[in-house]
Amino acid sequence: MMPAAHASGRRPPSRITQDELNALAAAMGGARRIADIYPMTPLQQGLLYQSELAGDRPVYVVTLSCRLLAPLDAALFAAAWQAVVQRHTILRTAFAGLDLPQPVQIVMKEAPLPFTQLDWRDRPAAEIEAALAALRDDDRAQPFDHARPPLMRVTLVRLGEADYHLLWSFHHLLLDGWSLPLLVGEVFTIYAARQQGEEPALPPSPPFKDYVAWLRRQEPGAAETFWRARLQGIEQPTLLVSDPGRPLPEPRAPILRQALGIDLAALEKFARSRRLTLANLVSAAWGLLLARYTRSTDVIFGTVVAGRPADMPGANTRIGLFISTLPLRLAVSPAMRIDDYLAQVQQRQNELLQHETTPPQMAEQVSPLGAGRPLFDTTILFENYPIEAVKSVGMVRLDAVEVVESPHYPLNLQFSVQGDSLHLAIAYDRHGIPDELAARVGHDLSGMLQQIMAGAARVGEAKVFILAIDDP
């Protein structure tokens, strides 16, 4: 459940007193250490609220891991990461004040980056993969202190003379997926230049404060009207867990990772034939599975949008947190044909793009169910950020790049194309999602995608209701 907010999803105008500012500065070690203070975005407020609600259980921790195939100067590499932290205000930012009229982000003048080096060259090769998996899980289990930037850390594991494993973890308060290749590209650009004794010619980095100001200038009226109309008639939320807002007694289960057993080339060909994207298809399949799992013909789940509209200055080159998780509502009617259902999915996802800067709290606030009641407890994310752009930088080649997120929702599905396969990472909570259900989701999704392709390709008349509601 998101924190209470103004009905527009934005807090009403308010001011922090000088005494409150002084207290914040003192908690950060004094005003001399602070470069700037400005409001959080509505999404940042929601993420901070959920993170503090979880206590020591880390949620919204994002991890990028990959192999680096090249000889590395580890000290120079660490310095390149630190240079990037110094270059971007968002990476030197602390978050505080959920108890204040306006929660704030505090940019520090300096924020030393935790950089750990491990040497595993003497480890038996047969143990490396299991040890790396354990390292990733252990790292993800470590929460960040939101008041002590930077909310990120880097671990570099040396496996051979020209073979390293990079593990970079950060809190989602800082960055979205689109920022990752941009930031990694900068690290390697700085590293390569300094190897030659030079400083890189990087363009100026706009401060995140500019985006906060731009966002606060956007008028919420059209978005409110859209959400009221889209959510009209909802009688109940779509929940796999009976009480998704209560504190979670058990740690999150390990991330389940699997390649879906489906022909990716055939799936892409089918998508092109219907002028759809892979994201449209996996959303359609998940909507049908939710209809099956919940025995409902009106389903809602969260879908991640980029939040980088074309009219936002520097939309595709900014580094920071711009995404939003918005409700996608789908009708699954006994009379609906698969082609009609797919067209509905595409249309409604396109509608979300027109409102992708909507504060995530807004839909709940205007929902007929009442403010504070969740609309969904499952989310999907289809990775489409250009990580391929940094697979090779200078003399360094990146391999086996993997990004895993862990939102607070009980069940989260993260899709990505890796080579010639469609991969799925499942993050879930055991208090409401049984291991057995989490383990079968990938199998069910593969089967549903195959049914969609077979049914629509065969006659284009197969009833979605049969696919969604009947037991397999």
Side-chain angles (χ1 to χ4, degrees):
M1 181 177 65
M2 292 293 184
H6 189 246
S8 68
R10 296 177 172 85
R11 291 176 178 267
S14 56
R15 297 182 65 85
I16 299 177
T17 67
Q18 189 61 49
D19 287 344
E20 289 169 334
L21 283 173
N22 291 342
L24 287 171
M28 300 305 299
R32 293 180 180 179
R33 299 186 59 203
I34 297 174
D36 209 346
I37 300 179
Y38 45 86
M40 292 187 212
T41 67
L43 176 58
Q44 287 175 319
Q45 293 178 38
L47 297 191
L48 182 60
Y49 174 83
Q50 293 294 344
S51 297
E52 294 198 351
L53 185 67
D56 290 336
R57 301 178 67 260
V59 296
Y60 290 105
V61 173
V62 184
T63 300
L64 181 148
S65 60
C66 65
R67 296 292 278 269
L68 304 179
L69 304 176
L72 280 181
D73 181 330
L76 198 61
F77 190 56
W81 278 97
Q82 185 62 58
V84 165
V85 171
Q86 199 61 32
R87 173 173 156 77
H88 296 284
T89 57
I90 190 64
L91 301 183
R92 291 179 277 118
T93 296
F95 301 86
L98 280 181
D99 57 337
L100 298 178
Q102 173 62 69
V104 295
Q105 41 196 323
I106 307 168
V107 181
M108 307 303 292
K109 292 179 179 178
E110 296 182 351
L113 174 68
F115 190 98
T116 302
Q117 297 183 52
L118 302 174
D119 191 338
W120 288 5
R121 282 177 291 179
D122 293 334
R123 284 210 174 197
E127 298 178 3
I128 291 297
E129 289 306 318
L132 288 174
L135 178 67
R136 288 191 295 266
D137 289 340
D138 289 345
D139 185 86
R140 290 179 58 78
Q142 303 302 314
F144 288 100
D145 183 344
H146 310 120
R148 293 290 177 264
L151 275 65
M152 56 184 273
R153 54 182 173 258
V154 175
T155 300
L156 184 66
V157 184
R158 188 169 191 179
L159 304 174
E161 295 309 308
D163 187 1
Y164 295 80
H165 185 87
L166 174 68
L167 183 61
W168 170 32
S169 293
F170 60 90
H171 198 286
H172 217 336
L173 283 162
L174 305 182
L175 303 168
D176 57 21
W178 192 270
S179 300
L180 304 192
L182 301 176
L183 204 60
V184 170
E186 285 193 6
V187 168
F188 282 101
T189 298
I190 294 170
Y191 175 78
R194 290 184 175 179
Q195 272 189 314
Q196 304 301 318
E198 302 172 354
E199 285 298 317
L202 294 172
S205 171
F208 193 69
K209 180 179 183 177
D210 291 355
Y211 167 70
V212 175
W214 178 87
L215 189 63
R216 290 166 72 88
R217 290 194 298 268
Q218 307 308 302
E219 290 295 331
E224 284 188 31
T225 300
F226 166 75
W227 286 114
R228 290 185 189 279
R230 174 54 63 227
L231 300 176
Q232 184 177 7
I234 286 180
E235 297 181 355
Q236 61 185 12
T238 303
L239 304 177
L240 290 183
V241 178
S242 59
D243 187 6
R246 68 184 176 90
L248 309 179
E250 297 184 53
R252 294 184 76 88
I255 305 293
L256 295 181
R257 302 175 179 88
Q258 55 191 280
L260 295 183
I262 191 165
D263 185 335
L264 179 59
L267 191 65
E268 291 176 327
K269 181 179 180 181
F270 176 83
R272 288 193 299 270
S273 72
R274 299 299 193 279
R275 297 184 179 180
L276 302 170
T277 66
L278 290 181
N280 293 149
L281 287 180
V282 298
S283 297
W286 181 239
L288 296 179
L289 279 182
L290 269 184
R292 171 182 291 175
Y293 292 161
T294 62
R295 297 288 173 175
S296 174
T297 57
D298 185 3
V299 298
I300 306 174
F301 55 92
T303 184
V304 177
V305 294
R308 294 171 180 258
D311 61 341
M312 183 178 78
N316 291 330
T317 58
R318 286 181 176 269
I319 287 176
L321 178 67
F322 304 95
I323 63 166
S324 192
T325 301
L326 302 178
L328 179 63
R329 183 186 185 189
L330 299 174
V332 185
S333 165
M336 187 179 292
R337 298 171 180 173
I338 288 180
D339 281 344
D340 294 335
Y341 173 72
L342 293 176
Q344 175 198 192
V345 173
Q346 183 183 51
Q347 175 190 352
R348 296 199 173 179
Q349 287 193 308
N350 288 341
E351 287 176 351
L352 292 186
L353 296 180
Q354 304 304 311
H355 302 281
E356 59 183 326
T357 60
T358 298
Q361 300 95 322
M362 181 184 289
E364 274 189 21
Q365 294 295 327
V366 303
S367 160
L369 302 180
R373 288 196 64 189
L375 296 169
F376 56 87
D377 65 358
T378 68
T379 70
I380 68 169
L381 164 65
F382 195 97
E383 291 182 11
N384 63 350
Y385 35 85
I387 199 70
E388 295 291 331
V390 293
K391 283 296 185 73
S392 180
V393 184
M395 299 298 292
V396 181
R397 183 164 63 88
L398 280 66
D399 193 26
V401 180
E402 180 180 68
V403 180
V404 176
E405 306 181 21
S406 57
H408 75 279
Y409 299 99
L411 182 64
N412 308 275
L413 310 179
Q414 180 178 335
F415 298 88
S416 61
V417 174
Q418 299 180 27
D420 57 359
S421 301
L422 181 61
H423 283 244
L424 172 64
I426 304 173
Y428 68 101
D429 283 308
R430 284 191 169 117
H431 89 287
I433 305 295
D435 289 341
E436 296 77 12
L437 174 59
R440 68 174 281 189
V441 164
H443 174 270
D444 288 353
L445 276 167
S446 295
M448 192 63 75
L449 286 167
Q450 289 166 349
Q451 289 183 67
I452 289 174
M453 288 193 295
R458 187 170 59 248
V459 294
E461 300 273 331
K463 305 300 184 183
V464 172
F465 185 76
I466 296 174
L467 290 178
I469 303 301
D470 282 2
D471 290 330

